[in-house]
Amino acid sequence: DGGITQSPKYLFRKEGQNVTLSCEQNLNHDAMYWYRQDPGQGLRLIYYSQIVNDFQKGDIAEGYSVSREKKESFPLTVTSAQKNPTAFYLCASSMSGRPSYEQYFGPGTRLTVT
Amino acid sequence: RKEVEQDPGPFNVPEGATVAFNCTYSNSASQSFFWYRQDCRKEPKLLMSVYSSGNEDGRFTAQLNRASQYISLLIRDSKLSDSATYLCVVNKVDSSYKLIFGSGTRLLVRP
């Protein structure tokens, strides 16, 4: 059964700690994306990757880091430098990095930092 | 001006009603358009792509008006299960890989 998985579903951390969110896909998609969603707002792009071992900053990359060592995996680290890390984090993938290709989302991770 | 603008709603309609949402986009060079549906506290799910000629999928019809730079979504014979937030999505013209998501229009279908 193909799809995108994110874990954990809920994550709680203390301020000052780094935390890594997992994203795995078995759709054989080339491109993967990380978004953040805050209440009442649209999705904002954090990082994206078109191919293994390559990734680009999105619109709000400060305080985040990623890696793309395998086609299937695109983990996101929320560092202590991120000022307002509490949010709903969504991972997506698409066939390739073309705008005509739809993006498909994982179930998301709700991160709460106190 | 926002790159993608939607009326946040909520649109509160009775079951069986027809409801339409519009979404405006700022860059006339945009080429790809989508409607996604997002249920409360869930991930967005692709509802349909929007083609220049318009497209229909069951009770859902999407239209593109390039001259006025808006896309629309029409839902006929609304069901309770249609209650959700509908996100308008447009590609970012300065990059082939980015999509811009509107903040969404909330639909509530009442019995």
Side-chain angles (χ1 to χ4, degrees):
Chain A
D1 201 16
I4 304 173
T5 57
Q6 290 185 244
S7 60
K9 190 171 182 180
Y10 298 96
L11 191 54
F12 298 89
R13 279 293 182 271
K14 294 287 188 187
E15 209 172 292
Q17 293 178 333
N18 290 357
V19 60
T20 298
L21 311 184
S22 165
C23 177
E24 304 277 333
Q25 54 98 359
N26 61 4
L27 300 168
N28 201 31
H29 284 172
D30 294 308
M32 296 186 75
Y33 312 81
W34 273 106
Y35 293 90
R36 167 186 174 136
Q37 187 175 36
D38 294 281
Q41 297 192 33
L43 278 67
R44 293 184 289 167
L45 183 65
I46 304 172
Y47 268 98
Y48 62 103
S49 168
Q50 300 156 234
I51 197 169
V52 175
N53 291 323
D54 186 48
F55 48 83
Q56 285 80 40
K57 292 182 180 180
D59 301 315
I60 54 164
E62 185 175 348
Y64 300 98
S65 66
V66 294
S67 63
R68 186 89 186 274
E69 296 175 3
K70 297 187 300 182
K71 187 176 184 177
E72 304 79 21
S73 178
F74 191 40
L76 173 75
T77 296
V78 184
T79 75
S80 56
Q82 168 49 232
K83 300 297 181 192
N84 298 294
T86 295
F88 186 36
Y89 290 88
L90 289 155
C91 178
S93 69
S94 67
M95 282 177 62
S96 75
R98 285 176 56 183
S100 56
Y101 288 136
E102 302 92 347
Q103 293 181 17
Y104 296 91
F105 286 84
T109 293
R110 289 196 178 273
L111 173 65
T112 303
V113 177
T114 56
Chain B
R1 182 185 174 187
K2 284 186 179 178
E3 292 175 286
V4 176
E5 289 200 75
Q6 296 184 251
D7 181 340
F11 285 61
N12 192 322
V13 302
E15 254 186 306
T18 294
V19 62
F21 312 132
N22 280 349
C23 160
T24 58
Y25 59 94
S26 61
N27 196 317
S28 60
S30 295
Q31 293 294 325
S32 298
F33 309 91
F34 309 95
W35 282 103
Y36 279 73
R37 171 200 168 119
Q38 186 173 24
D39 292 290
C40 189
R41 301 179 69 80
K42 299 282 190 181
E43 75 274 25
K45 292 186 177 176
L46 179 67
L47 183 65
M48 55 201 311
S49 302
V50 187
Y51 306 120
S52 296
S53 56
N55 49 312
E56 187 175 314
D57 183 3
R59 298 182 292 107
F60 299 83
T61 300
Q63 296 280 351
L64 169 63
N65 185 315
R66 285 193 182 275
S68 300
Q69 294 179 214
Y70 74 84
I71 66 173
S72 63
L73 178 67
L74 180 78
I75 305 175
R76 289 181 297 276
D77 188 24
S78 299
K79 312 291 185 191
L80 295 177
S81 57
D82 293 334
S83 297
T85 297
Y86 291 84
L87 308 178
C88 171
V89 184
V90 177
N91 74 293
K92 193 169 180 70
V93 175
D94 64 354
S95 164
S96 295
Y97 310 104
K98 296 182 183 178
L99 296 179
I100 307 164
F101 287 77
S103 300
T105 296
R106 192 168 169 216
L107 171 65
L108 300 173
V109 182
R110 62 181 188 272

